Amino acid sequence: MRISVHSARLHRAALPLACALSSYAFAEREAVAYERQWHVGLEGGYALAAFPDASTSGFDVGLHGSYGVSDAFNVRAHANVSAFDLPAPQTSALFVSGGVGAEYIVDILRWVPYVGLTLGPNVMRRQNGPTVLRLGIEIPAGLGYQLTRNWTIGAEVRYRLLVLGESELSPTHGFVGLARAEFAWGS
């Protein structure tokens, strides 16, 4: 196999360019800590719920917000609605959940990982069935990418455990996978 002098020069020039672009994406920049910053955003994605008679999947949409109490910890809140298809005779379920809690965040690079814990009410309504209220304990974990100082996009997964209340009529646990976009302001 023969490599021309021109393509060898092109390959040697491409390597520094690729290194420069990747270092820009992961490079440290001006500190943009979450301390005393507000964040609000939208999220949407996939939901999975384990009902006593079957597991089912659906769609989830919601709002989220957080406030930085220190460089590493945020207070967070969320409200979500999930819709599920169920086997006959009950054909659908609507699940409304909310939670308030805290999260640990590492925001020294453009890529921002976090993990947290929230508690809150979860209301489930099956078609032609009773409304069930349960306490939800959720463990969110995610990764955001700061496009600018004010805009972040990312992904989050949450494990949801439902306790207290009537477990035979509602899910016992589930997962949510969400795409997120948020706006930040403050110091």
Side-chain angles (χ1 to χ4, degrees):
M1 182 169 154
R2 188 173 170 196
I3 299 175
S4 71
V5 173
H6 178 60
S7 72
R9 286 183 191 152
L10 182 62
H11 288 302
R12 276 187 265 148
L15 182 60
L17 179 61
C19 290
L21 290 175
S22 64
S23 67
Y24 173 75
F26 294 101
E28 291 188 39
R29 65 201 188 307
E30 176 186 335
V32 183
Y34 282 109
E35 186 174 0
R36 294 184 308 277
Q37 266 189 334
W38 291 94
H39 293 254
V40 294
L42 301 171
E43 54 196 23
Y46 173 79
L48 176 70
F51 286 86
D53 48 352
S55 292
T56 186
S57 59
F59 297 99
D60 185 276
V61 295
L63 302 169
H64 65 271
S66 64
Y67 177 74
V69 293
S70 74
D71 285 348
F73 289 97
N74 289 348
V75 174
R76 68 174 276 149
H78 66 89
N80 292 71
V81 176
S82 301
F84 298 101
D85 289 327
L86 299 174
Q90 298 163 344
T91 59
S92 65
L94 188 65
F95 196 76
V96 179
S97 64
V100 176
E103 64 188 7
Y104 175 75
I105 188 163
V106 180
D107 61 355
I108 58 173
L109 300 174
R110 283 188 185 270
W111 294 96
V112 182
Y114 60 91
V115 64
L117 180 70
T118 64
L119 299 171
N122 289 263
V123 178
M124 199 272 318
R125 172 89 170 132
R126 286 188 187 206
Q127 183 179 11
N128 302 322
T131 299
V132 178
L133 174 64
R134 299 191 71 189
L135 175 64
I137 302 168
E138 295 190 10
I139 302 170
L143 181 65
Y145 180 75
Q146 292 182 336
L147 296 171
T148 67
R149 179 176 171 87
N150 298 102
W151 290 99
T152 301
I153 59 172
E156 178 175 291
V157 294
R158 288 188 209 141
Y159 174 71
R160 178 183 295 151
L161 177 64
L162 299 173
V163 297
L164 308 176
E166 299 180 43
S167 63
E168 63 276 353
L169 298 175
S170 78
T172 54
H173 65 278
F175 288 94
V176 181
L178 303 165
R180 297 168 48 116
E182 67 182 27
F183 179 75
W185 73 93
S187 50

